[in-house]
Amino acid sequence: MMNTGRSFVLLAAVLVLFGTNVFAENSLEQSGKGMKIWFDTGGPVGGTYNTIVQNGARQAAVDLGCEVAFMYSDWSPQKMVENFTKALSANPDGIVVMGHPGDDAYAPFIKEAVEKGIIVTAADTELPGLMEKYHTSGFGYTGVGNYARGQALASEAVNRFDLKKGSKALVWGLKSQPTRGLSSKALIETLEKAGLQVDYMEITPEIDKDASLGTPIITAYLSSNPDCALVITDHGALTAQLENFFRAAGIAPDAIIGAGFSLSPATASAIKSGYVDLVGDGQPYLQGYLPVLQIVLTKRFGFSGLEIETGGGFVHAANVDLIAPLAKKGLR
Amino acid sequence: MNKDNMHALLSKYRFQCGILLLLLGLLGLFLYVSPQTFLHRRIYVAFMSTIPFPTLLALGLTLLIVAGELDLSFPSIMVISGLSFATVSQTTASPFLGLLAALVTGGLAGLINGVIVVLIGVPAIIATIGTQFFWRGASTLLADGLALNMTELRDTTFHHVMVGRLFDWIPMQTLWCLAVAVLFWFLLNRHIFGDDVRFIGDDINTARMMGIRTDGVRIGLFVLMGLVSALASVMVCLEMANWWPTQGEGYLLLVFAAIFLGGTSVFGGQGTISGTVIGSIIIGILEAGIISAGLSGYWTRLIHGLVIVISVSLYAMAFKSRRR
């Protein structure tokens, strides 16, 4: 009788356990199912950096079960605003923007989106004013603060390579772009604060699109400034070509310190050959994945906007072997 | 040579003389302003390693424009041919097969342009805007948007032959580019094909009445442009040891600027190979000259624009006076 009783209790327990699990499984589903999100990747179709952002967003879409439509802006702030208005007219559940145009340019359109119930969040470049205003409506930010990333790379370069006061440095960047230009500004200011003598060159739109056109420019600069000790490119594709630039200019590996942002297979190879010494890694994959997650969680559970710093440190000769295979797959 | 002959010769080659003087004037100015850069061999090696790529493209496009046609798709033909080169050379471990694949791809893309424009009758500007999007999209899709690293080709004989450094300093791409320029000069000036191209550019109906196979020549020019784009792309991939999905995008305006600076008429029928080569060199050295003079990069576009506008205005004035 005791045995029968025990068996009954055991059976009941198994049934409860099984039943609970079954119900639990039934009650859980992909949180983004049925949601539509428009995502501006920022760069051109197939751009080195924004493709990694896109890969992160694509993975998030698969994991969460939502649909993501991608837009491309060729890093043009004007096109980003145009793309936003297009996304707005499609009335999706959420829109991910790159913050390059700045708070003022986006303000009326984001206001309209929030009023329509569309969740908007920013990636790569922050929109501090809009984030403060729409934080409770799910407006978040995922990325590395532009000023912070510039400051971090410049400080790391000065400390790591023990650059002395009066040393000459070149910053090749996009200072003229709103918000995005803060990175170049921080590079210049931090290096100058450390006592370095800094020259700045603006990247032309042609070189911005096709880095191969940059060779004579860097050669001309280095010929005129043979005492240059550090070259920092505030541009992923240009960092990837630093090895070719230095080779063409007749600069030996490690003769000049080369630094920049975003790891690509070519940059990894340049680190190994000694032409690139330091790369700031903003983990763009996360800048694609997390904004999609933010929109889904806000839409479903009403969470407010999250501010996530994706700056993941630096890639250099000592750790490049670990990270390079991931760069080849478009994940780092 | 008597004075009249000299005058006739100078008059005949006044466009070339003008643009050559502009180039020499600019070089003189840069030498004066930044001798530390322009008296050093290094800057000329850098020029010789990069200027041949847009020059090759400009040479192909000059023939097309002389024939009254246009191709806006060459940056995208570059990228799809470069992808063929990168993929085939990596899978077969033979860069030579990669070159063949790139040339076939470029030739086919050019043929498609030719068929759409000549046989279907779509204006070249519209057709090539369409194919430009198509090839760019196709290459990004095929490569999944990822760049391909090609550093393994750096030590191959193929690399040395195509973009190596002759005597350890002359970039081979300069020699290839000069060879193509000479070939195109013969085609345009010493071959019946060149006459056909000019007649078509002047007046296609008259050319037809003269018995010129205008369709064949025009399609041939598009194919030639495709082949040249493929060759330029292979060289860019080798020089940069990398293929990337936005390759070629920055060349579009620079190539057109070089051609029109070189005196090629936008209306067709008139253009010179030497003018295009010199125009490409001027466009290629301007920014480096500005930077080495210590001016900010912000000046680049302004000076580019100034040089182009003044040059083409002078051409226009000279052309008007000739027609009077």
Side-chain angles (χ1 to χ4, degrees), chain A residues 44-48 51 55 58 74 175-176 200-202 204-207 209-213 215-217 219-224 226 240-241 243-245 247-251 265-266 269 327-330, chain B residues 34 36-37 40 42-43 45-47 49-50 54 136-137 140 144-147 149 151 154 165 236 239-242 244-251 253-254 284 287-289 291-293 296-298 300-301:
Chain A
V45 178
T48 315
T51 297
N55 287 343
R58 278 168 66 189
D74 300 329
K175 201 172 68 173
S176 64
Y200 174 74
M201 290 199 307
E202 179 78 6
T204 63
E206 281 75 27
I207 297 175
K209 284 180 184 166
D210 202 317
S212 61
L213 292 164
T215 308
I217 315 307
T219 306
Y221 175 81
L222 293 175
S223 304
S224 304
Q241 292 304 332
E243 176 172 358
N244 294 308
F245 296 156
R247 276 176 185 268
I251 307 291
S269 161
K328 208 169 183 178
K329 290 178 186 167
Chain B
S34 42
Q36 72 280 25
T37 300
H40 201 290
R42 209 157 65 176
I43 190 70
V45 174
F47 287 149
S49 70
T50 53
R136 180 74 57 188
T140 308
D144 205 16
L146 296 176
N149 192 15
T151 39
R154 264 205 182 117
R165 301 289 184 262
V236 171
E239 177 71 19
M240 297 290 143
N242 197 16
W244 64 101
T246 57
Q247 190 185 68
E249 276 191 355
Y251 287 120
L253 288 181
L254 298 180
E287 191 174 1
I291 296 292
S292 57
S296 121
Y298 296 124
T300 310
R301 313 218 99 199

Side-chain angles (χ1 to χ4, degrees), chain B residues 52 81 132 138 178 201 299 317:
Chain B
S81 310
Q132 182 247 328
L178 283 176
W299 283 85
M317 283 158 64

